[in-house]
């Protein structure tokens, strides 16, 4: 019984949800060519696989393709992904996961490197 309790405590202490594994970066500070975790409100859905996320520092395009956007306008979400390293055009994050306000995590299996 003691071993089970110890194992349970260790599992809780050393298991971190994906969105909490990385510190939140303000959208304005998301640098091209880096992995980031950003948090904000879905400002608008621009396509079936793309939306704009906004926080107090600005907004950025989030690409979840080839998946459908799993959030609604006005919803607060956390996105973990890669900031496109293109020097031309607006910044865009290729999402690897999205955490909804209720804590549910949507992982995007397709990787864009």
């Amino acid at each position: 019984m003691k071993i089970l309790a110890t194992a349970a405590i260790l599992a809780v202490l050393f298991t971190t949800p994906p969105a909490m594994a990385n510190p939140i970066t303000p959208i304005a500070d998301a640098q091209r060519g880096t992995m980031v975790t950003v948090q904000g409100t879905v400002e608008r859905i621009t396509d079936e696989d793309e939306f704009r996320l906004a926080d107090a520092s600005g907004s950025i395009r989030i690409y979840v393709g080839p998946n459908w956007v799993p959030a609604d306008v006005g919803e607060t979400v956390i996105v973990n992904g890669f900031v496109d390293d293109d020097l031309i055009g607006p910044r865009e994050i290729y999402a690897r996961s999205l955490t909804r306000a209720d804590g549910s995590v949507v992982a995007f299996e397709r990787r864009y490197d």
Side-chain angles (χ1 to χ4, degrees):
M1 185 70 160
K2 202 178 217 183
I3 293 173
L4 276 174
T6 302
I9 290 170
L10 289 174
V12 168
L13 290 175
F14 293 106
T15 303
T16 308
M20 299 310 222
N22 299 312
I24 302 295
T25 300
I27 290 173
D29 295 343
Q31 299 297 312
R32 293 180 189 269
T34 64
M35 288 295 298
V36 296
T37 300
V38 294
Q39 180 175 0
T41 303
V42 177
E43 193 172 58
R44 70 179 180 269
I45 297 175
T46 57
D47 202 351
E48 64 211 21
D49 58 2
E50 187 175 273
F51 65 95
R52 288 207 67 84
L53 186 71
D55 70 6
S57 70
S59 70
I60 194 165
R61 187 175 7 187
I62 308 291
Y63 181 70
V64 299
N67 308 283
W68 291 85
V69 173
D72 297 317
V73 172
E75 187 174 352
T76 299
V77 298
I78 298 171
V79 174
N80 177 266
F82 179 75
V83 183
D84 188 6
D85 57 1
D86 251 355
L87 296 177
I88 300 172
R91 290 176 309 143
E92 178 176 38
I93 296 176
Y94 296 120
R96 295 204 173 175
S97 69
L98 180 143
T99 305
R100 301 183 77 166
D102 66 4
S104 61
V105 178
V106 178
F108 304 109
E109 295 304 318
R110 187 154 183 174
R111 301 284 192 236
Y112 298 91
D113 296 319

